[in-house]
Amino acid sequence: MPLRNHGTAAVLARLAVACDGAILGLALAAVSAASWVKYATTSAALDRISCAPSAPISGLRAILSSADYLNEDPLLVVVRGRVQPSSAVEALSDGAVSETNGVLTPRGSDEMAVAILNTQMCLYNEWRGMFRWNFDLHALFAKSLKEQRSSSSLLKSVSFVLVEAGDWPNSGYVHVNLDGSAHPLPLTTVYHELHPIQVPPFTFFQVFFGSGYPVALLDEEKILPVGKEITAIGICRPRDEAIEIKSCQELPCFLSDMTKDEIVAELNFDAGVLFWSGILLGILSVGILGYAVIRNWWKWKEWRLRRRRQNEDLNNEALSRSSMEQEDVPDGELCVICLSRRRRTAFVPCGHLVCCPHCATSVVHDSSPKCPLCCQDVRSSIRIYES
């Protein structure tokens, strides 16, 4: 674990066991609820993909015709084909296909591509620091490190189609519409390189305080090559004389390397993991919350019992004081200091019984305790009880 995360982990651990684990139980309950939500979403997507018709590209028009007849719009279909640029379709004439126009060429490869993704990510080094501190200077210098800290990406793409493998260009095709799609593309890495970063003037302070500092910039390039066989799962509808497929935001994927059976198997596995994790986390959160409730209930009862006893003691003390104050004490037995309470305490070593317990305590705790009757030094006092 990086050093900067140690302090955060310690704080989270103390927070988790606070209130006898109530916060940990609530956190587990939230994770369990999120697992159930994801399970419901994954199950719904699994049902839709399982029920979606899987047909070759040449048979899509027949499926769309039957869907229009049954008023099933929009129609979710699963299509598998090879990637070709739209320019290849436009240049199709007399059986000749041009695959060199309207495509992208990556810098790390001589392959032709319809999509290129350039990413940059800054790599950091961790050091413990001279005083083993975890002070993070990233927030202080975030403005100057903004471009290096964050991962940046740039996607270039051209319009492309899916054609039926083995029959192109004699078979049909389907246009792939990426507008509004947030799903990842099945890209292939063709280039990556590490670029050293020039040491900024404040790196010494970052090292001194044990903060991470940038050491290199990772530059990667990924492409969607022409001719790659992929699976498209989306909404299919006719567009002019062609057929178009568009992503469905409710589904977890749009274009994938896997076949329909592999996608269904993966979603089935994910649904099972989410289902059992939701159950286990829910049971664990209920147990922890139950324990926390019982523990805090008993603590509250003990607190109430202590408060009740303290109130009873205060009431008894007040009653005893009032009874002593209301007691009719003869003049010869009154305390020589306060002249209001009975003499009940004798001083040591003189043994004079001339003060009440309250005044005797004040005399003993004085800086120079002396008996008020004989002025002899006093070491302590003794309470005298009448039988």
Side-chain angles (χ1 to χ4, degrees), residues 218-235:
L218 178 62
D219 191 2
E220 288 186 330
E221 190 172 49
K222 300 179 181 181
I223 66 170
L224 180 59
V226 174
K228 184 176 183 179
E229 189 172 2
I230 61 175
T231 301
I233 304 175
I235 304 300

Side-chain angles (χ1 to χ4, degrees), residues 71-204:
N71 294 324
E72 296 179 0
D73 190 34
L75 178 65
L76 183 70
V77 298
V78 180
V79 178
R80 188 165 181 85
R82 293 188 181 275
V83 175
Q84 288 291 339
S86 298
S87 59
V89 177
E90 297 172 358
L92 181 61
S93 60
D94 299 331
V97 180
S98 174
E99 296 183 353
T100 59
N101 298 325
V103 295
L104 302 175
T105 302
R107 57 178 172 175
S109 174
D110 55 355
E111 297 185 44
M112 294 181 294
V114 296
I116 299 178
L117 178 65
N118 294 315
T119 61
Q120 288 184 342
M121 180 179 299
C122 187
L123 303 180
Y124 283 83
N125 187 21
E126 298 290 341
W127 193 70
R128 186 170 295 274
M130 183 174 297
F131 299 107
R132 306 176 69 89
W133 292 346
N134 296 329
F135 185 69
D136 193 358
L137 296 180
H138 287 167
L140 184 62
F141 303 103
K143 185 175 181 180
S144 59
L145 281 177
K146 184 177 180 181
E147 295 181 358
Q148 296 180 357
R149 288 184 65 247
S150 60
S151 299
S152 60
S153 59
L154 178 62
L155 178 64
K156 300 178 181 178
S157 63
V158 296
S159 59
F160 63 95
V161 299
L162 292 182
V163 299
E164 198 161 343
D167 294 335
W168 174 254
N170 298 322
S171 63
Y173 57 90
V174 55
H175 283 277
V176 178
N177 189 351
L178 295 178
D179 295 339
S181 175
H183 298 94
L185 298 176
L187 303 177
T188 304
T189 302
V190 294
Y191 170 81
H192 65 275
E193 185 178 358
L194 281 175
H195 302 281
I197 296 178
Q198 185 177 1
V199 178
F202 49 79
T203 300
F204 170 76

Side-chain angles (χ1 to χ4, degrees), residues 18-86:
C19 300
D20 294 313
I23 297 179
L24 177 61
L26 292 175
L28 291 177
V31 175
S32 176
S35 298
W36 282 109
V37 171
K38 290 183 179 180
Y39 168 73
T41 304
T42 305
S43 299
L46 178 62
D47 293 338
R48 293 191 63 182
I49 294 176
S50 300
C51 298
S54 179
I57 296 176
S58 56
L60 284 179
R61 291 195 177 275
I63 295 178
L64 291 176
S65 301
S66 61
D68 291 339
Y69 176 75
L70 296 175
N71 294 324
E72 296 179 0
D73 190 34
L75 178 65
L76 183 70
V77 298
V78 180
V79 178
R80 188 165 181 85
R82 293 188 181 275
V83 175
Q84 288 291 339
S86 298

Side-chain angles (χ1 to χ4, degrees), residues 278-301:
I279 290 179
L280 293 178
L281 292 175
I283 294 174
L284 188 60
S285 64
V286 169
I288 294 176
L289 288 175
Y291 170 78
V293 168
I294 294 175
R295 284 280 299 174
N296 286 280
W297 169 259
W298 282 107
K299 286 183 178 180
W300 180 73
K301 291 186 67 176

